[in-house]
Amino acid sequence: MPEKCNAGDCPVNARVDALEKEFDRYRGNSTDTHRQMFERISTLEQI
């Protein structure tokens, strides 16, 4: 692989974009999971 790629034709850019999207999905799912977990803990503390 050449050290420098054209901005419009670089296979690394496509992979980086895919990883960014995957990480954003993971972060969103993680945030939702943590919210649910803390809601459950809060409910248990009230019992």
Side-chain angles (χ1 to χ4, degrees), residues 5-24:
C5 297
N6 295 332
D9 186 32
C10 186
V12 176
N13 284 342
R15 182 67 180 141
V16 168
D17 291 342
L19 286 171
E20 285 177 340
K21 289 176 184 176
E22 185 177 340
F23 184 75
D24 288 343

